[in-house]
């Protein structure tokens, strides 16, 4: 296809950033206009890609890709990036490569230790790609009753996840499901549930890197 992905010759990273258990119970973050959003409502109302929220989402994506690179051979082939935040996908696979974007948003990259600078450095060392994001990812269990075409993006991501050589997944079972269908043993879990009953998974597949959530912004 137009992304140049060949089955078994690319890897996949999935970030489920709107899942309530991705954040501590009761956590809330501010948008750029100072509005506070409870992260537990993210699945219902979405996440504005701005302010502290944007920093946390980018931080999660950077960590997820860094975890993927701990798997054998990952980084040399393209990495297919998918998320339930279309804004995050566009940022990680498009904006971060765009010199005009980086010039117009220079403040994000002034601090070389910022999550945005880390994202730019990571992107410069590998090829992060994604499908066109005009169709949002609809959760089949959370967004019932939509028209068939509104689920196309979800199934495209699932199909490409199934055909990936290695898979880095976080909270939720979307990318885990893809890896189980394909039968790949090249899998790592980059993010764990912050509360409630934990999803069962093989501890040996947990990313060896410490989760950074909360380092950028106090939740």
């Amino acid at each position: 296809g137009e992304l140049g992905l060949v089955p078994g010759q690319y890897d996949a990273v999935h970030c489920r950033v709107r899942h309530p258990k991705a954040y501590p119970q009761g956590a809330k973050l501010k948008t750029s206009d100072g509005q506070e959003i409870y992260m537990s409502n993210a699945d219902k109302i979405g996440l504005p890609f701005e302010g502290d929220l944007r920093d946390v989402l980018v931080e999660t994506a950077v960590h997820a890709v860094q975890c993927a690179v701990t798997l054998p051979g990952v980084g040399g082939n393209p990495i297919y990036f998918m998320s339930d935040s279309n804004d995050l996908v566009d940022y990680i696979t498009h904006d971060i490569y765009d010199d005009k974007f980086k010039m117009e948003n220079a403040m994000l990259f002034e601090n070389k230790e910022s999550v945005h600078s880390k994202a730019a450095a990571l992107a410069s060392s590998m090829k992060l790609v994604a499908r066109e994001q005009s169709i949002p990812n609809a959760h089949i269990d959370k967004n019932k009753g939509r028209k068939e075409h509104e689920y196309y993006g979800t199934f495209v991501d699932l199909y490409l996840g199934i055909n990936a050589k290695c898979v880095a997944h976080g909270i939720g079972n979307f990318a885990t499901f893809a890896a189980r269908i394909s039968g790949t043993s090249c899998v790592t879990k980059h993010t764990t549930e912050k509360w409630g009953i934990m999803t069962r998974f093989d501890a040996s597949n947990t990313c060896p890197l410490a989760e950074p959530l909360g380092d950028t912004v106090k939740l």
Side-chain angles (χ1 to χ4, degrees), residues 170-183:
I171 293 171
N173 295 312
F174 185 76
T176 312
F177 182 46
R180 285 176 178 168
I181 292 175
S182 71

Side-chain angles (χ1 to χ4, degrees), residues 2 17 26 58 63 89 99 108 120 125 151 159 163 183 198-199 208 219:
E2 62 182 31
V17 294
V58 172
H63 173 67
V89 175
D99 290 337
L108 296 177
S125 65
Y151 299 102
Y159 176 80
N163 284 282
M198 304 302 175
T199 301
L219 290 166

Side-chain angles (χ1 to χ4, degrees), residues 101-157:
F101 172 85
K102 288 188 280 189
M103 192 182 309
E104 291 175 348
N105 296 273
M107 286 181 61
L108 296 177
F109 305 96
E110 285 177 354
N111 179 356
K112 298 304 177 185
E113 295 301 314
S114 74
V115 291
H116 302 281
S117 293
K118 290 178 181 177
L122 203 59
S124 69
S125 65
M126 61 189 66
K127 185 179 180 183
L128 297 166
V129 301
R131 65 173 171 81
E132 200 273 324
Q133 294 291 304
S134 61
I135 302 176
N137 266 352
H139 295 296
I140 296 172
D141 58 337
K142 303 286 185 183
N143 306 122
K144 296 178 181 178
R146 296 191 178 190
K147 294 181 179 179
E148 288 87 349
H149 73 270
E150 295 185 75
Y151 299 102
Y152 287 173
T154 303
F155 283 102
V156 168
D157 283 349

Side-chain angles (χ1 to χ4, degrees), residues 5-10 159 163-165:
L5 300 178
V6 178
Q9 296 181 29
Y10 67 91
Y159 176 80
N163 284 282
K165 177 177 176 286

